[in-house]
Every structure is written in C-alpha cells, then in structure tokens.
Amino acid sequence: MQSSVGRAVILALEGALKLKEISYIHAEGYPAGKMKHGPNALIDETLPVVCIATQDPNDPSSVLKYEKTLSNIHEVTARSGRVIAIAIEGDTHISQLVEHVIHIPQTHELLLPILEVVALQLLAYHIAVRRGCDVDQPRNLAKSVTVE
C-alpha cells in the first residue's frame, strides 16, 4: 500500500497531467518535501502553485503531513508565490495563508485521495474552459490502447 506521502505525489502528478491535457498549461506534480530542490527557485508573483493541504484530524500521520505542507506554503508565499490550496471544509487557517482555497468534505485519510483528485480534475476543467479550450476533444491526444 502507498504511504500518504506517496498518494499525494501521485495525485499531484494526475492534477498536472490534466492541466497539460485539457488546458495546455505546463505543470509538474512534485512532492512537497522536495520543493527546496529546484522548484522554489522558480517561484515568483506570476507562478501559481497548487497545494494539496488536506488532513484527517483523527490520523496523526495525516496531521503531520498537513503541518509540513503548511510549512511549504509559507515558503511559497514568502517568495510572493500565488497559492491555490485544496483543503478540508472548515479549515480557516489555510484560508488566511493562501490566495484561493478549493474545499472538499472532511473524510477518513484513506478516502481523501478520491475527493482530492476530483478537485484537481475540476480545477483543470474550469481553467481549460476559461482559456477557451475544447475540453471534449483535446488536441494531439491519442488513446493509450488502439485497435488495429
């Protein structure tokens, strides 16, 4: 089974993939703990950073992951980065730290990825629509399995 950190990276990669596929924006999924190894150098007032900042308050490892993510958000905002956070409904602390928050319902740590990935997919969808992209027929995409 994947650790919660591993799941977060997979979700970040999926969110970045959707942004590339339907809105034609270059994006990268990156583990929050590795931000100091390169991505922080790119952060300025023009770079939006999407952070998955959710937690299950009943799971100590989930709370620790959340606290580390908040630390990374502080580093991004200290560099004038623009943060869009996916957070749990009722999280008033995160709303004070970031520019935009996408709220998802509170649930068990093991179920959070389902809600997080839907939020990321909807974010990509709405960005694509605002950019005037055809979300029903993205350009240059082929099915991974073709019939000959």
Side-chain angles (χ1 to χ4, degrees), residues 35-139:
M35 288 290 290
K36 292 180 184 176
H37 303 289
N40 274 357
L42 300 173
I43 296 171
D44 63 16
E45 65 279 350
T46 64
L47 181 74
V49 177
V50 179
C51 293
I52 302 169
T54 58
Q55 68 171 322
D56 176 354
N58 300 314
D59 182 334
S61 66
S62 180
V63 172
L64 180 61
K65 176 189 64 150
Y66 173 77
E67 290 169 356
K68 289 182 178 185
T69 302
L70 289 183
S71 175
N72 285 335
I73 288 171
H74 283 292
E75 289 191 30
V76 172
T77 57
R79 290 167 174 77
S80 301
R82 304 175 69 196
V83 178
I84 302 165
I86 297 175
I88 300 298
E89 287 176 337
D91 185 344
T92 57
H93 182 70
I94 194 107
S95 300
Q96 297 169 1
L97 300 176
V98 303
E99 212 170 311
H100 303 283
V101 181
I102 300 168
H103 292 284
I104 63 172
Q106 176 69 51
T107 190
H108 189 278
E109 174 70 16
L110 293 176
L111 297 176
L112 279 172
I114 297 167
L115 301 177
E116 293 162 346
V117 76
V118 170
L120 290 168
Q121 290 169 342
L122 286 170
L123 175 64
Y125 168 82
H126 287 289
I127 289 171
V129 168
R130 285 187 64 118
R131 289 173 52 94
C133 302
D134 183 353
V135 295
D136 293 320
Q137 294 188 344
R139 67 178 182 225

